Amino acid sequence: MPKVAYFRVTPERQQILLKGLVLSICCVLAFCVRLFSVLRFESVIHEFDPYFNYRTTKFLTEEGFYSFHNWFDDAAWYPLGRIIGGTIYPGLMVTAATIYKFLHFINIPIDIRNMCVFLAPLFSSLTTIVTYLLTKELSNSSAGLLAAAFIAVVPGYISRSVAGSYDNEGIAIFCMLLTYYFWIKSVKSGNVFWSVLCSIAYFYMVSSWGGYVFLINLIPIHVLFCIITGRFSHRIYVAYTTVYCVGTILSMQISFVGFQPVQTSEHMGALGVFGLCQIVSFVAFLRKKLSAANFAILWQTMLYLIGGVVIAAVLVLTVSGKIAPWTGRFYSLLDPSYAKNNIPIIASVSEHQPTTWSSFYFDLHMLVFMFPVGLYVCFKDINDHNMFIILYGVTSMYFAAVMVRLMLVLAPVMCILGAIGTNHVLTSYMKNLDSVQVVKEKKGPKGSKVDNTYPAKNEVAIGVVLGLTLFLGLFATHSIWVTAEAYSSPSIVLSARSGDGGRIIFDDFREAYYWLRQNTPEDAKIMSWWDYGYQITAMANRTIIVDNNTWNNTHISRVGQAMASTEEHAYEIMRELDVDYVLVIFGGMTGYSSDDINKFLWMVRIGGSTDRGAHIKETDYYTPTGEFRVDSEGSPTLQNCMMYKMCYYRFGQVYTEQNQPTGYDRVRNAEIGNKDFELDVLDEAYTTEHWIVRIYKVKDLDNRGNPRT
Amino acid sequence: MSSESAYSVVAKFMEDYQVKTSQKLKIIDLYLGYILITGVIQFVYCALVGTFPFNSFLSGFISCVSSFVLGVNLRLQVNPENAKEFKSIAPERAFADFLFAHVVLHLVVVNFIG
């Protein structure tokens, strides 16, 4: 049908209006779909890590940037302390503080907590726009709109950017896609302007997340593949050399990164490709200038000379230790069994586990099927920038398979390639529809519309288009359902349905932390397992022994030894660490399954992994048949260790379920073995309403020096 | 073939270069040579005296490397032989981009030099 101008709006303007409308709807959708937990509970920060980020952001807005950059925190990792200024990625906090200051400047007095809660949804809207721009560069604007729609709701991205999840990944994905957008622009145009913008975006990415290592390896891999496939041109040379040089010196401005870009193996790939670029360019330059014979002679001499120098240099540097080998965290990506065998702390984090097949479908739905289609389309008309997205897709596919947490890196490229694939399919089949055919046929005879080699063209096209539309609709429904059910829980507040359908809220965590804040002396030191460290410092404002930063394995191992030993031995450790209060999480009364008894085996493994914990052996805590049981058949070492006693103190007199004896643990589904015991070295200080958090005070030394046990 | 050694090839190349390249490109090449010498001097000094403070050395050395690279990029974009690769970039635009990149680079270098 011919294009008609409605309301004096030309067809080009119509298109722009339509695109703008669709894009704005995607942005608003991206923001709104992340608000489930704010509507169901309240505007509160979720989980564990965001509490640390919130605390540092509050410090930044109150004390200013210089104090923040030089901050030494003595309230964590007692007695070691932590250099916060030099061990965080400040991008997130600086972004939140800047927007907060700007809003206050224009007289919108938003609270810092609300700023932190809503930052991630705001940046997802911006990510939608950047994804549209990136896909438009790679393919065309209709694929761009599809990609924007996909990334607005894809569960893989929502899981880490929901309102309240104030974590690095919330802005890191935006920064990453922005960097890639500028990189593609600079590769396409060969302009130094876009390359410099790419370096600045890269700097923003480095300041926001440790995953920037992926970028600084992906871009060189792209250049390397271009060299190998013979696509290396002056444009790529200009783009890469500018991005690498300016980007590297920019990235070293972040204290946490420091000199790593020139010292660690993770960054050597980029340096190597930089050198290779120079060599390839120089060789091409010579080849153009000299005749063939002359060039051959020069080539030989140069090859031996330069090759020898480079190999000698690399050998010397590696052997003398100037170039550090791969660190544990990244090495475990290449060799997934490394962490499990050697570093139990890395292996114990639930986000570091390998991804299951069902997670892929759960997080990406239809995109899992459209991803290979997109790859095929890119391979079909391959050029410099398509090669980049193919490499990005394949590498992030591998990493997402190794670690659940990296599903986040896979989600954007799945959206982009899925959109390219879907767009290609829809465009091809839409062309076959009868209603579209008329334009091409002009005034031809009616009979010429029927194509004998392709029967039922119109019907097939209608079928495919309808089918794809159905898939898209299902994708949207699935994504929103997943967001509402699985990814919108604040973790710090739990809710359950009571028998009559009403909602019960379990606010035990905050109840306990506020009890600590109001009833303990200001210099009290709290010992708990490292999971809860950040929450305790942020809400209870007390000194803690270990927290989620897990930088010191020996210190955590000491805490693990205290939890896993008998009261007598644990008392020694607690006196050594100056502990005043101990905090444990217990789910046996309510059926809350992420409690400390379920995490206990990790405490045993980590506790036993250092020298001073050599007396702790994991097999001691199992029954002779190798089971982990808390009832009367459980191992006596388990039933007398401090963690067991702290969790089950006085629990033996409580009825938890009908038709069960007292002391029935609702998580392990067993009646506990050791019921009636007294604590020798601890006093029970506070137990929350549903027994989820239990706080004990460590008794002081006996008056006359007698041993407590 | 045996009468042609690597030395004579290089000599012929230098002669060709003198004759064929334009004045504009020779100026840029001179500038690149100067930066190369500065970089080498810095590196030799660091090797002799030691790497403390490392950030200052890195800042100065990377400034040399980046200026060299940006100079090479300018030369590539301005060279009329490459015109069909850099379609939409006029020499004036190339120079403006060169200046912009240098502003960003030197801001960072001055911050890092400590």
Side-chain angles (χ1 to χ4, degrees), chain A residues 189-194 196-197 200 233-235 237-239 241-242 245-246 248-250 252-253 258-259 262-263 274 278 285-286 288-290 293-295 297-298 301, chain B residues 1 4-6 9-10 12-13 16 21 54-55 58-59 62-63 65-66 69-70 72-73 75-77 81-82 85-86 89 93 97-98 100-101 104-105 108-109 111-112:
Chain A
S189 66
N191 224 333
V192 173
F193 175 66
W194 293 114
V196 174
L197 284 181
I200 297 178
S233 62
H234 287 307
R235 281 176 293 116
Y237 176 81
V238 168
T241 46
T242 315
C245 289
V246 182
T248 302
I249 194 171
L250 271 171
M252 292 201 268
Q253 304 307 302
F259 300 129
V262 291
Q263 283 178 336
F274 179 65
Q278 309 296 337
F285 172 69
L286 281 182
K288 218 170 44 162
K289 293 282 180 185
L290 298 173
N294 288 350
F295 175 73
I297 297 170
L298 202 57
T301 7
Chain B
M1 273 293 278
E4 298 235 21
S5 68
V9 171
V10 172
K12 183 164 180 300
F13 173 69
D16 258 348
T21 41
F54 196 47
N55 60 312
L58 265 185
S59 174
I62 291 183
S63 164
V65 170
S66 308
V69 156
L70 286 171
V72 170
N73 290 342
R75 188 185 195 279
L76 284 174
Q77 290 182 336
E81 290 173 21
N82 296 333
E85 266 205 66
F86 297 105
I89 307 176
R93 171 77 199 263
D97 291 338
F98 172 79
F100 172 61
V104 172
L105 174 70
V108 185
V109 164
N111 182 42
F112 199 40

Side-chain angles (χ1 to χ4, degrees), chain B residues 15 34-35 66 86 91-92:
Chain B
E15 205 187 301
Y34 153 71
I35 292 185
S66 308
F86 297 105
E92 289 77 23

Side-chain angles (χ1 to χ4, degrees), chain A residues 448-461:
Chain A
S448 62
K449 265 192 260 175
V450 178
D451 187 350
N452 288 326
T453 59
Y454 191 158
K457 204 176 198 176
N458 185 41
E459 283 71 29
V460 170

Side-chain angles (χ1 to χ4, degrees), chain A residues 229-282:
Chain A
T229 54
R231 292 183 170 281
F232 189 71
S233 62
H234 287 307
R235 281 176 293 116
I236 298 186
Y237 176 81
V238 168
Y240 182 62
T241 46
T242 315
V243 167
Y244 178 68
C245 289
V246 182
T248 302
I249 194 171
L250 271 171
S251 69
M252 292 201 268
Q253 304 307 302
I254 308 287
S255 322
F256 196 22
V257 172
F259 300 129
Q260 281 179 35
V262 291
Q263 283 178 336
T264 56
S265 312
E266 288 126 15
H267 297 88
M268 285 300 125
L271 182 62
V273 173
F274 179 65
L276 193 62
C277 267
Q278 309 296 337
I279 296 175
V280 170
S281 276
F282 187 56

Side-chain angles (χ1 to χ4, degrees), chain A residues 123-187:
Chain A
F123 268 77
S124 341
S125 302
L126 297 175
T127 307
T128 317
I129 300 178
V130 177
T131 313
Y132 165 72
L133 291 170
L134 177 59
T135 318
K136 196 168 83 143
E137 287 300 318
L138 288 168
S139 165
N140 57 32
S141 58
S142 29
L145 288 174
L146 265 176
F150 281 148
I151 204 162
V153 290
V154 70
Y157 179 36
I158 288 189
S159 63
R160 311 280 318 187
S161 68
V162 86
S165 172
Y166 180 57
D167 211 351
N168 291 336
E169 288 93 347
I171 60 169
I173 296 296
F174 168 71
C175 303
M176 187 172 81
L177 289 173
L178 192 69
T179 313
Y180 288 151
Y181 169 63
F182 285 135
W183 168 247
I184 298 288
K185 274 288 256 229
S186 50
V187 163

Side-chain angles (χ1 to χ4, degrees), chain A residues 450-503:
Chain A
V450 178
D451 187 350
N452 288 326
T453 59
Y454 191 158
K457 204 176 198 176
N458 185 41
E459 283 71 29
V460 170
I462 293 181
V464 170
V465 170
L466 275 180
L468 257 184
T469 316
L470 183 68
F471 278 150
L472 290 172
L474 283 174
F475 173 74
T477 323
H478 169 88
S479 307
I480 305 218
W481 174 81
V482 163
T483 315
E485 293 305 311
Y487 291 139
S488 296
S489 109
S491 307
I492 193 151
V493 181
L494 312 161
S495 90
R497 295 242 164 251
S498 72
D500 57 357
R503 211 162 68 135

Side-chain angles (χ1 to χ4, degrees), chain A residues 7 87 96 118 220 261 310 322 331 346 445 456 460 579 621 631 672 708:
Chain A
F7 302 109
T87 57
F118 291 106
V310 165
K322 284 250 191 300
Y331 191 72
I346 296 181
V460 170
V579 176
Y621 296 86
D631 54 14
I672 60 173
R708 284 258 176 219

